[in-house]
Amino acid sequence: MTHTAASLPKSRLKIDVRLTPEEFAPHLTRAAVLMSEENPIDGFRPGKAPYDAVRRVAGEASLERRGAEIAIGKTYQDVIKALTLEGKITEDCPAVGSPEIAVTEAGGQKGLAYTIVLSLTPSVALPDDYRIRVGRVRSEKKDADISDEEMAKALDEIRESRAALITVDRPAETGDAVEIDFVARQAGVKIEQGESRHHPFILGRGRFIPGFEEELIGMAAGAQKDFTIVVPPDWRDTALRGKALDFHVVMQLVQERLIPEATDEFARSLGDFASMEDLTARIKDGIRRGKERDKELRLRNRILEEMRRSSVLGEMPEVLIVEECRALLSEYRSALESSGMAWTEYLLHVGKTEEKLLKENADKAADRAASALVLRAIARREGITPDDRDVDARVDAFLQTASSDEKRRLDREALRAHFRGALRNEKVFEFLEEQTKVHEEV
C-alpha cells in the first residue's frame, strides 16, 4: 500500500491511497464471503459460494464496491498512523470532523485507489509578549453601580414570573396571555415561517410585527379575524420590509394574568425571605454579583480578543465553523427556552429559519472557534490542565440539577470532556490575569 499527501486550502489534507491488485484481492474475497452469507446463492451454503459465482450473481461492480468498503475500513487507520509518523498530522493539529472518502478506482486487475480529505485543527503561533498585551487590557476594568430602575425591573420580572393565569370568557385585553392559530400570506402565497398553531403571546410586549398584537385585542376565544399589515421598512427580515402581509387569525385561548403585589407575604412565598426588605436585599446582591460576572466576562473577552489578534492562526476549516455555529445556536436556544420563550416563537419573531441563522452567525462562530484554539494553545504551552476531581465535581453538580430524562440521554464522558474544557479555559484566564497582576506591579 502506498500513499501521498498534499495540503489543501482551509487547513485540509488530501491523501491519495493505492493498493496493488495483490493487496486488494483478499478484500474482494472477503466481500464475496459476506455477500454470499447475506444473500445465499442457490446450490451453496451461506458464505460458501465460490468467488466467480458471487461475481456472476451480484455483479462485478457490486462486488468491487463492497470490497472497497472493506479495504478502506482495514487500511484507513494504517494511513492515519503513517501520516502521524511523517508529521503530517500532529498532536497540536489533529484531524477534526468526519473524513471525506471517495473511491477513484477499484478492480481486480487494477487494485484499489481512494482519496481521503481531512480537516485539520489550524496551527496557532502565540506571541512571545502576550502577558504585556493582557496587562494593557486589564487596566480598562471599571466598576458599576446599581440603579433604582434596575432594582424595579428585577422585582417586576419576579412578580410577572409568578403571575397566575385565569382562563376568561371575554375579549382579549392588553396584558393578557393568549394562544392563536395564524397564517401569513404575501400576494396570496404563504410566507416562510408564516404559519403557527397555539402560538403564545402576551399582549402588549410588542414581540411581533408592529400592529399585529393590537389586532388581537378585542378577540374572544373562538373568534376569527382577517387583516393586513404593511411591514415597516426597518423590520429585521429584509425580505419582508415594506411588504403587505395578509393574516388569518383564530383566537384559541384568552387568559388574564394576575400579577401578585410586592408584599411581605409575597416575599415569604418565594422561599427563605422574612420580608420584602429581605427580598430586596437579595435581589440587589444578585444584581451586584451578576454585574461582577458580566464585568469579568467583558474583561476576559477583551483579553481573548487581544490574544487572538496578536496570534497567528492557520486557515479555519469549514467543519470547525459549522460545529461552533451549531453550538452557538444551541446555547442561544437553551437560554431562550429557559426564559420562557419558545424557539419557534423566536424564529417567527425574527422572521428567519435555523439555516439562515447558521449562515448569519458564521463569522461569529469562526471567531469563537479561533478563541478556543488560542486558549487551548496557551494551556498546552503553559502546561495547564484541570484536576480530574474538579472535573468530576462539576459533572456531579450538573447531574444533580438534571431531570431523569436528561440523565438518561446524557453521556457522562461527553460531559466530562465539556467540563474539562471549561475548567481548562477558566484556569488559562486565571493564569493570564495573575500574570497581568505581576505586570502591573512592575
Side-chain angles (χ1 to χ4, degrees), residues 175-228:
D176 285 344
V178 302
E179 289 184 8
I180 63 169
D181 297 344
F182 73 86
V183 179
R185 291 184 171 84
Q186 197 267 315
V189 179
K190 187 167 63 176
I191 66 173
E192 189 175 24
Q193 299 289 313
E195 183 174 10
S196 183
R197 296 190 178 279
H198 295 282
H199 196 91
F201 277 102
I202 294 180
L203 299 182
R205 290 191 173 177
R207 287 185 173 175
F208 201 38
I209 297 171
F212 182 84
E213 292 180 23
E214 286 79 356
E215 294 286 350
L216 305 183
I217 295 174
M219 293 181 66
Q224 300 187 29
K225 189 175 185 180
D226 295 295
F227 54 88
T228 300

Side-chain angles (χ1 to χ4, degrees), residues 306-324:
E306 185 68 24
M307 281 300 309
R308 195 171 61 237
R309 187 165 39 242
S310 57
S311 300
V312 179
L313 277 72
E315 286 189 279
M316 191 71 66
E318 191 67 27
V319 63
L320 272 185
I321 297 175
V322 172
E323 286 180 1
E324 194 64 41

Side-chain angles (χ1 to χ4, degrees), residues 5-267:
S7 297
L8 297 177
K10 295 188 176 180
S11 299
R12 291 179 299 158
L13 187 67
K14 181 184 179 184
I15 308 104
D16 293 300
V17 185
R18 179 168 286 280
L19 279 70
T20 65
E22 293 75 18
E23 291 171 324
F24 188 36
H27 303 296
L28 287 172
T29 301
R30 179 59 179 162
V33 172
L34 291 175
M35 292 174 76
S36 67
E37 284 179 350
E38 295 162 358
N39 297 287
I41 296 174
D42 291 344
F44 301 97
R45 286 180 296 159
K48 300 299 181 180
Y51 180 88
D52 287 341
V54 177
R55 182 178 61 181
R56 184 178 62 255
V57 173
E60 192 166 9
S62 295
L63 185 58
E64 290 171 348
R65 190 159 50 245
R66 186 66 177 272
E69 292 175 1
I70 295 169
I72 292 170
K74 293 288 187 182
T75 59
Y76 175 80
Q77 288 301 329
D78 292 335
V79 174
I80 298 301
K81 288 177 183 177
L83 292 169
T84 302
L85 290 173
E86 295 167 12
K88 300 286 195 312
I89 300 175
T90 66
E91 191 176 359
D92 286 338
C93 300
V96 292
S98 301
E100 300 172 24
I101 300 176
V103 175
T104 55
E105 190 174 61
Q109 302 302 315
K110 300 175 183 178
L112 173 68
Y114 69 94
T115 62
I116 307 169
V117 177
L118 297 174
S119 293
L120 302 178
T121 302
S123 59
V124 180
L126 298 170
D128 294 331
D129 61 342
Y130 64 79
R131 297 175 188 174
I132 296 175
R133 295 175 184 272
V134 171
R136 290 204 300 269
V137 172
R138 189 173 181 86
S139 64
E140 300 175 13
K141 184 174 180 178
K142 295 180 180 178
D143 294 327
D145 295 326
I146 301 173
S147 67
D148 293 339
E149 289 77 10
E150 289 174 306
M151 287 292 298
K153 181 181 178 182
L155 180 57
D156 286 344
E157 287 175 353
I158 294 174
R159 292 172 55 220
E160 293 219 8
S161 71
R162 299 300 192 278
L165 296 178
I166 308 297
T167 300
V168 293
D169 185 18
R170 60 164 173 75
E173 301 174 355
T174 299
D176 285 344
V178 302
E179 289 184 8
I180 63 169
D181 297 344
F182 73 86
V183 179
R185 291 184 171 84
Q186 197 267 315
V189 179
K190 187 167 63 176
I191 66 173
E192 189 175 24
Q193 299 289 313
E195 183 174 10
S196 183
R197 296 190 178 279
H198 295 282
H199 196 91
F201 277 102
I202 294 180
L203 299 182
R205 290 191 173 177
R207 287 185 173 175
F208 201 38
I209 297 171
F212 182 84
E213 292 180 23
E214 286 79 356
E215 294 286 350
L216 305 183
I217 295 174
M219 293 181 66
Q224 300 187 29
K225 189 175 185 180
D226 295 295
F227 54 88
T228 300
I229 291 180
V230 177
V231 181
D234 58 351
W235 186 242
R236 289 176 293 272
D237 189 345
T238 56
L240 295 179
R241 290 177 178 176
K243 301 289 180 63
L245 299 184
D246 299 316
F247 288 93
H248 175 71
V249 174
V250 179
M251 180 65 70
Q252 294 289 359
L253 179 69
V254 178
Q255 293 183 309
E256 184 177 351
R257 298 168 62 248
L258 301 180
I259 301 173
E261 295 294 327
T263 63
D264 289 344
E265 183 179 354
F266 170 68

